[in-house]
Amino acid sequence: MTIAPHFKLAFANGEADLRAAQRLRYDVFVNELGAAGPMVDHDNCYEVDQFDQNAHHLILRDLKRSADDQVVGVYRLMSSEQASATCGFVSAQEYDLAPLMSSGRKLLELGRSCLHREYRGGAAMFHLWQGLAAHIAATKTEILFGVASFHGTNVAQLAQPLGYLHHNYIAPEPLRPIAKGQTSFAMDLMPVEKIDRVAAVAQVPALIKAYLRLGGMVGQGAFVDRQFNTTDVCMVVDVDRMTPRQRAIYERSPG
């Protein structure tokens, strides 16, 4: 018999909370998806990078799990103020963020989102989004953005979904990050008339679909991250342009 979870959502408070978030990230990004990185702590099973100490970490716990295994969801949030005071935005490693930075809008970067494998497709993501919604309201954030990923680095296999995103969801120029670097490439890999919409949508990861339902758009170009074993797109959500229906997606009670 499955026991219903008892969720608790809060921002990380101290080193122990941060380590718990990094442990879940290791399980998902390293063990499941094959990611690597110079700061990953394989001995203690922590997925770490240089941005962790400067960001907010939204943590979802299931209090019905054992004390050392309660963290089942995490989201890393970085404001413009945090980024400018420290080492910048993570997405700037892959994208030219000049359009966003010069927009005069209040920015919030979303990253390192993951759920424990047993909690995907259920209420857990809605709990995280409710915490995100509360943070957006409290900080008067206007633009959400961040890198979201396709698993794998075979560009040819991703031509359909990347083309679908480019042709249907490209951000307007004033808010359009542009992929940079040697492993960046154009997303319009095939003409729009050759894209099989059903097949393309089926390949789009759940998190990217979720951002699209919130009114999300994509930047120009994609980026192959061989270290993380992903192909990345930059998502942009203009909070001010959300419809009431879109707002209800992440503000509603998860049940």
Side-chain angles (χ1 to χ4, degrees):
M1 183 177 182
T2 302
I3 300 175
H6 181 178
F7 288 126
K8 179 183 178 182
L9 185 67
F11 281 103
N13 182 19
E15 189 70 12
D17 282 353
L18 177 57
R19 288 305 192 189
Q22 292 168 337
R23 191 177 302 114
L24 177 65
R25 284 166 31 184
Y26 186 94
D27 187 41
V28 174
F29 296 130
V30 180
N31 285 341
E32 288 190 49
L33 301 179
M39 295 180 65
V40 172
D41 183 346
H42 293 289
D43 292 334
N44 295 296
C45 297
Y46 298 138
E47 193 277 304
V48 184
D49 71 13
Q50 68 270 32
F51 299 92
D52 279 339
Q53 293 295 334
N54 307 314
H56 292 303
H57 300 265
L58 190 60
I59 295 178
L60 181 68
R61 287 182 166 86
D62 180 357
L63 300 183
K64 292 189 176 180
R65 297 175 68 91
S66 61
D68 61 349
D69 191 35
Q70 289 185 347
V71 174
V72 297
V74 299
Y75 233 128
R76 186 171 70 185
L77 315 179
M78 183 174 288
S79 67
S80 302
E81 293 79 10
Q82 289 170 313
S84 62
T86 54
C87 49
F89 286 118
V90 184
S91 306
Q93 297 179 320
E94 302 180 6
Y95 282 83
D96 179 356
L97 302 178
L100 292 177
M101 301 293 288
S102 62
S103 68
R105 312 282 297 281
K106 191 172 179 62
L107 308 177
L108 182 67
E109 184 182 49
L110 311 180
R112 288 302 197 272
S113 170
C114 62
L115 289 172
H116 188 286
R117 61 180 64 85
E118 295 175 9
Y119 293 79
R120 295 166 196 164
M125 194 67 202
F126 286 110
H127 281 274
L128 281 172
W129 277 1
Q130 280 199 315
L132 177 59
H135 185 73
I136 290 169
T139 58
K140 296 181 170 57
T141 294
E142 298 173 274
I143 299 290
L144 309 174
F145 75 98
V147 166
S149 303
F150 289 81
H151 182 49
T153 60
N154 188 324
V155 174
Q157 291 181 355
L158 298 174
Q160 290 261 10
L162 291 175
Y164 170 76
L165 292 176
H166 173 85
H167 289 299
N168 292 279
Y169 294 100
I170 193 75
E173 286 191 18
L175 296 177
R176 188 185 300 169
I178 301 173
K180 62 183 184 179
Q182 294 183 344
T183 63
S184 65
F185 62 96
M187 292 166 62
D188 54 340
L189 299 172
M190 61 174 56
V192 63
E193 63 271 13
K194 291 189 176 182
I195 295 173
D196 181 336
R197 183 184 181 281
V198 174
V201 171
Q203 283 186 265
V204 176
L207 182 61
I208 295 178
K209 288 178 181 175
Y211 287 138
L212 297 179
R213 287 194 292 271
L214 294 177
M217 304 166 285
V218 296
Q220 180 177 319
F223 183 93
V224 173
D225 185 347
R226 301 197 186 283
Q227 183 173 273
F228 237 66
N229 192 29
T230 59
T231 298
D232 301 337
V233 296
C234 192
M235 302 300 303
V236 179
V237 179
D238 188 337
V239 175
D240 292 342
R241 294 180 60 185
M242 280 186 185
T243 66
R245 184 175 181 179
Q246 289 166 339
R247 288 180 181 275
I249 291 174
Y250 78 157
E251 292 178 346
R252 73 189 183 195
S253 171

